Amino acid sequence: MPTTLPKPIRVRDAAELYAAIPHLMGFHPSDSLVVLVLKDDLVSMTMRVDLPRPRHRGFLAAQLEGPLLDQGATEVILVVVCAPTEHIPEELPHEPLVTALRHGLGGVGIDVVEAVWLPSCQKDAKWLCYLDIDCHGTLPDPRLSAVAAASAHEGNVTFESRAAMAAILALDPPEAMERRSAMLDELMTNSAEPDPGTELRRVSDAIDAVENRKGPLRDDEIVALARALAMPDVRDASLGFAVQARSRLAERLWLELTRACPAPERAEAACLLAFYAYQRGDGGIASVALDAADEACPGHSLSKLIRAAVSAAFPPSQMRALAVRYMDSARQLLAQSSSGRSQP
């Protein structure tokens, strides 16, 4: 899952770069291959995949080629994060994988300039290089790095694991979900066809209320917003709020609704959460949100589109440009809503 930082951050040495990985990813990786993409002496993107089984090494190299070439990558650093084996330091874990990736990526013009093994990304973890037996070091405290400070300044949280990150999307209690599902059934069965402009206004007002709202959304508010986002025009127009100053407030609302909405309506909020997270460079949250969307509504069309863009390492800047187009749709719907409310 690709991740980027919005602004370049200077690091002093290799150890500080490797210590920055949890903050680049949004969580502490384990049993992972992390790919740091270099462009003009900057880490332009970070990708993480699970360590493959031996028979899948060649497939992984082919899988990485497309996104890296699309990014114009010519140089990468590979970081293997996993537990040590009894053969260290003479033989590092997953050494055949590094060899396969060097050959596979090198064949398409992508140079592996460094490859490193880490037992973890915690303070004092000792790292070793695959390409030079004399290359090794110890990680500084990741919490004190320049990247950690920049990430915190942006309001990002670094989780101890991907599982801990996914836990922020844990559903509300089953009895609450069943109650809201019944309320949604009644609302959609017994009410008139809603107006998209009015429903988008409801969503926009809910975003404005996030900062000063005391306590969680009420059941009736959750149900009304779930129905609003179930309208494709309203959901798609809501993508446009990502380029507004209140983008992070909107993202907080999508997070709350992803926890609170019953399936399949949960998928709409989860897709919005994934889009918002990815366009600001947080591939980790985008990944777990897409998993939530797929669980709530397998085969969901917007989820498939966003996942395809993320898997292809579609630049976050281009996602933001896409959001600008949706903002035009949002303005039109909101204008219709305002016009309707002003009529006698």
Side-chain angles (χ1 to χ4, degrees), residues 188 192-200 202-203 224-238 265 268 272 333:
M188 292 186 170
E193 183 70 21
D195 170 66
T198 301
E199 296 305 303
L200 183 62
R202 184 193 304 278
V203 173
L225 289 168
R227 183 179 75 160
L229 294 177
M231 301 179 68
D233 286 347
V234 174
R235 181 203 61 204
D236 293 351
S238 296
E265 288 80 10
E268 314 302 344
L272 288 169
L333 283 179

Side-chain angles (χ1 to χ4, degrees), residues 16-27 29 34 36 79 118 121:
E16 188 170 351
L17 173 62
Y18 305 144
I21 286 174
H23 306 291
L24 292 170
M25 298 300 309
F27 61 93
V34 178
L36 304 175
V79 182
L118 277 168
C121 293

Side-chain angles (χ1 to χ4, degrees), residues 75-146:
E75 296 182 337
V76 297
I77 296 173
L78 305 179
V79 182
V80 174
V81 186
C82 68
T85 65
E86 60 184 15
H87 304 295
I88 286 178
E90 291 79 13
E91 182 179 329
L92 299 184
H94 295 277
E95 197 157 339
L97 171 64
V98 172
T99 300
L101 290 173
R102 288 183 67 199
H103 287 302
L105 297 178
V108 293
I110 301 172
D111 185 23
V112 176
V113 297
E114 188 58 270
V116 176
W117 167 80
L118 277 168
S120 72
C121 293
Q122 302 290 347
K123 178 184 177 183
D124 295 331
K126 298 186 183 302
W127 51 272
L128 299 169
C129 294
Y130 289 89
L131 310 185
D132 181 354
I133 195 171
D134 295 322
C135 172
H136 54 81
T138 302
L139 291 191
D141 191 339
R143 297 170 298 179
L144 303 180
S145 71

Side-chain angles (χ1 to χ4, degrees), residues 119-283:
S120 72
C121 293
Q122 302 290 347
K123 178 184 177 183
D124 295 331
K126 298 186 183 302
W127 51 272
L128 299 169
C129 294
Y130 289 89
L131 310 185
D132 181 354
I133 195 171
D134 295 322
C135 172
H136 54 81
T138 302
L139 291 191
D141 191 339
R143 297 170 298 179
L144 303 180
S145 71
V147 176
S151 181
H153 179 73
E154 292 289 329
N156 299 327
V157 176
T158 300
F159 296 86
E160 284 303 311
S161 66
R162 192 180 187 280
M165 173 182 282
I168 69 169
L169 300 183
L171 290 170
D172 285 352
E175 58 271 19
M177 305 304 283
E178 181 58 35
R179 184 174 65 247
R180 294 165 194 161
S181 186
M183 292 174 67
L184 262 170
D185 286 342
E186 183 176 357
L187 180 64
M188 292 186 170
T189 301
N190 298 324
S191 63
E193 183 70 21
D195 170 66
T198 301
E199 296 305 303
L200 183 62
R201 175 67 61 184
R202 184 193 304 278
V203 173
S204 180
D205 289 346
I207 293 171
D208 288 336
V210 165
E211 194 163 24
N212 297 316
R213 172 162 48 85
K214 306 298 182 183
L217 291 164
R218 302 187 310 268
D219 278 359
D220 61 316
E221 293 172 321
I222 292 167
V223 167
L225 289 168
R227 183 179 75 160
L229 294 177
M231 301 179 68
D233 286 347
V234 174
R235 181 203 61 204
D236 293 351
S238 296
L239 295 170
F241 298 138
V243 293
Q244 293 187 331
R246 56 183 183 155
S247 174
R248 292 304 286 261
L249 297 179
E251 191 173 334
R252 284 165 56 184
L253 179 63
W254 312 144
L255 174 60
E256 185 173 0
L257 290 173
T258 300
R259 295 170 177 152
C261 288
E265 288 80 10
R266 181 190 192 207
E268 314 302 344
C271 284
L272 288 169
L273 177 61
F275 183 91
Y276 275 59
Y278 189 73
Q279 62 86 31
R280 65 174 173 81
D282 193 335

Side-chain angles (χ1 to χ4, degrees), residues 29-86:
S30 62
D31 295 320
S32 299
L33 171 71
V34 178
V35 182
L36 304 175
V37 182
L38 304 180
K39 185 178 293 186
D40 300 326
D41 296 323
L42 296 173
V43 176
S44 63
M45 185 178 69
T46 308
M47 302 177 69
R48 188 211 72 88
V49 295
D50 293 336
L51 287 168
R53 300 186 68 85
R55 68 179 184 274
H56 295 151
R57 290 169 187 151
F59 173 75
L60 178 59
Q63 186 181 29
L64 291 174
E65 282 178 17
L68 291 175
L69 290 173
D70 287 344
Q71 287 289 310
T74 57
E75 296 182 337
V76 297
I77 296 173
L78 305 179
V79 182
V80 174
V81 186
C82 68
T85 65
E86 60 184 15

